[in-house]
């Protein structure tokens, strides 16, 4: 989920603080205390002078502009599906994960919706070229199926490899040694994946794609999770570009999502189409960071 928090924040994080629509012209009491009170006008004045308040207004504007232009392309069903996937992934720790990252159920769903709207805008505004596709095709790997055994120590991995060489079955060793509780009882078998998969460690994928069907890694593969032994169950030929165009285009768009300059350009286009007019002169610059064209890219797009 950490990847999602970062990804959502990089595009636009919908904060939990809201500028009241009626606060601008109201002196109604918001808080009273012994000897005084805080009015809505006072609160609004304080909030709009803070960076948090300005960021919140910018996020509100961006969300509504995206919603107005691309709302028909993102359904509540899509939002709920992604939300439930995270909920299932984190199980009983999901609520604490939300809290630790400053989210409620509502605000996290809004972040998911915002991200989906932004992706819809990206795909509408930035069209993929054949040059980009051919570049991605060169490094593309089709879906493969593997078994794996994950352990915490290199020495344990080396011992498992010795047992494999002596004839012990991979499934037996996976069940006995693997710390991956989701796959150990399935012989370590993972769902099929290709080179566009972002859930697997890059070193794991690199090692896997080098294997032919029936081969396994003869040295431990160091990943962020520990040490891996990988066996290739099915490694099909690459085939034709046309057979994988959809996956390749998705890979290119995923790369674009990680590019700060590209995503800022998308948001800037959306805002320009919305013809935003900010009435309060003290807040006239809240969109300046999004409208600027000087921000440099942090990653390279395909």
């Amino acid at each position: 989920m950490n990847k999602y928090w970062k990804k959502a924040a990089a595009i636009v994080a919908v904060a939990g603080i809201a500028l009241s629509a009626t606060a601008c012209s109201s002196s109604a009491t918001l808080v009273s205390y012994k000897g005084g009170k805080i009015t809505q006008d006072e609160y609004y004045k304080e909030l709009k002078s803070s960076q948090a308040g300005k960021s919140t207004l910018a996020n509100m504007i961006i969300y509504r502009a995206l919603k107005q232009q691309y709302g028909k392309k993102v359904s509540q069903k899509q939002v709920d599906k992604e939300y439930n996937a995270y909920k299932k992934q984190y199980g009983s720790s999901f609520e604490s994960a939300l809290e630790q990252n400053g989210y409620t159920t509502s605000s996290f769903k809004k972040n998911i919706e915002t991200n989906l709207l932004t992706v819809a805008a990206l795909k509408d505004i930035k069209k993929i070229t054949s040059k980009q596709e051919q570049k991605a095709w060169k490094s593309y790997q089709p879906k493969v199926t593997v078994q794996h055994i994950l352990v915490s120590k290199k020495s344990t991995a080396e011992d498992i490899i010795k047992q494999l060489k002596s004839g012990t079955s991979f499934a037996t060793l996976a069940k006995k040694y693997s710390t991956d509780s989701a796959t150990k009882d399935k012989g370590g078998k993972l769902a099929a994946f290709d080179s566009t998969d972002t859930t697997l460690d890059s070193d794991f994928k690199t090692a896997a794609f080098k294997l032919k069907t029936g081969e396994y890694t003869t040295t431990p593969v160091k990943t962020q999770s520990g040490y891996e032994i990988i066996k290739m169950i099915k490694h099909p030929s690459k085939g034709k570009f046309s057979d994988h165009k959809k996956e390749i285009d998705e890979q290119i768009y995923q790369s674009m999502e990680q590019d700060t300059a590209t995503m800022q350009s998308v948001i800037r286009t959306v805002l320009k189409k919305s013809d935003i007019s900010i009435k309060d002169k003290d807040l006239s610059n809240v969109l300046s960071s999004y409208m600027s064209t000087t921000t440099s890219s942090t990653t390279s797009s395909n």
Side-chain angles (χ1 to χ4, degrees):
M1 190 182 287
N2 287 337
K3 288 184 178 179
Y4 177 76
W5 307 133
K6 294 176 183 177
K7 179 180 176 183
I11 297 173
V12 53
V14 181
I17 305 170
L19 290 171
S20 171
T22 61
C24 299
S25 59
S26 173
S27 59
T29 298
L30 186 63
V31 177
S32 63
Y33 55 92
K34 191 173 183 179
K37 64 180 181 179
I38 299 173
T39 66
Q40 288 187 350
D41 274 343
E42 289 172 326
Y43 172 67
Y44 174 71
K45 184 178 180 180
E46 186 75 19
L47 190 58
K48 75 176 185 177
S49 66
S50 70
Q51 189 56 50
K54 290 178 179 179
S55 295
T56 299
L57 180 58
N59 293 335
M60 289 173 70
I61 294 169
I62 292 168
Y63 169 75
R64 295 190 186 196
L66 285 166
K67 183 83 169 176
Q68 189 275 324
Q69 293 175 39
Y70 298 100
K72 291 182 180 180
K73 295 188 176 183
V74 176
S75 67
Q76 188 59 47
K77 186 177 180 180
Q78 287 174 284
V79 175
D80 291 340
K81 182 180 179 181
E82 190 162 329
Y83 175 84
N84 289 331
Y86 282 111
K87 190 173 182 180
K88 182 179 179 180
Q89 178 186 351
Y90 276 75
S92 59
S93 64
F94 180 66
E95 294 299 326
S96 60
L98 285 180
E99 186 177 348
Q100 287 169 11
N101 286 278
Y103 287 102
T104 62
T105 295
S106 177
S107 64
F108 187 55
K109 281 189 175 182
K110 199 165 188 179
N111 260 342
I112 291 173
E113 182 186 12
T114 303
N115 183 56
L116 291 173
L117 288 167
T118 307
V119 171
L122 169 66
K123 291 181 177 181
D124 178 55
I125 294 167
K126 300 291 184 181
K127 301 303 182 184
I128 293 173
T129 66
S130 59
K131 184 178 179 180
Q132 288 174 302
E133 287 178 328
Q134 290 306 311
K135 180 180 178 182
W137 172 242
K138 287 180 181 179
S139 60
Y140 177 75
Q141 290 283 347
K143 283 190 175 182
V144 299
T145 307
V146 305
Q147 292 169 275
H148 82 125
I149 301 171
L150 173 64
V151 294
S152 58
K153 294 181 179 180
K154 184 178 181 180
S155 58
T156 305
E158 290 171 337
D159 179 59
I160 292 169
I161 291 169
K162 287 180 182 178
Q163 292 183 60
L164 283 170
K165 289 179 178 179
S166 68
T168 308
S169 77
F170 200 97
T172 298
L173 293 170
K175 188 172 184 178
K176 182 178 180 180
Y177 291 102
S178 185
T179 59
D180 182 359
S181 58
T183 65
K184 63 182 299 178
D185 291 331
K186 302 174 186 177
K189 186 177 179 180
L190 289 170
F193 60 91
D194 60 19
S195 56
T196 68
D197 189 290
T198 57
T199 63
L200 293 171
D201 185 281
S202 60
D203 291 326
F204 181 98
K205 290 192 295 181
T206 298
F209 292 136
K210 290 179 180 177
L211 299 171
K212 296 178 181 178
T213 300
E215 291 182 342
Y216 58 84
T217 51
T218 54
T219 56
V221 179
K222 180 72 172 70
T223 68
Q224 293 180 342
S225 302
Y227 291 90
E228 299 268 13
I229 303 97
I230 307 165
K231 181 179 180 179
M232 181 61 65
I233 301 174
K234 184 179 180 182
H235 194 158
S237 60
K238 193 168 182 177
K240 298 180 296 183
F241 166 79
S242 58
D243 295 331
H244 305 287
K245 184 180 187 303
K246 183 179 178 181
E247 292 91 339
I248 288 170
D249 285 355
E250 192 60 34
Q251 181 183 37
I252 293 169
Y253 277 126
Q254 287 173 358
S255 178
M256 287 184 183
E257 287 177 53
Q258 302 303 313
D259 187 89
T260 303
T262 297
M263 296 313 300
Q264 185 171 4
S265 173
V266 169
I267 295 300
R268 184 164 57 247
T269 300
V270 170
L271 292 173
K272 286 181 177 179
K273 286 182 181 179
S274 289
D275 192 24
I276 307 297
S277 176
I278 299 173
K279 308 303 181 182
D280 190 323
K281 65 179 182 179
D282 292 333
L283 295 168
S284 61
N285 67 341
V286 296
L287 297 174
S288 60
S289 63
Y290 295 96
M291 301 306 288
S292 171
T293 59
T294 60
T295 300
S296 59
S297 170
T298 57
T299 58
S300 298
S301 59
N302 285 322

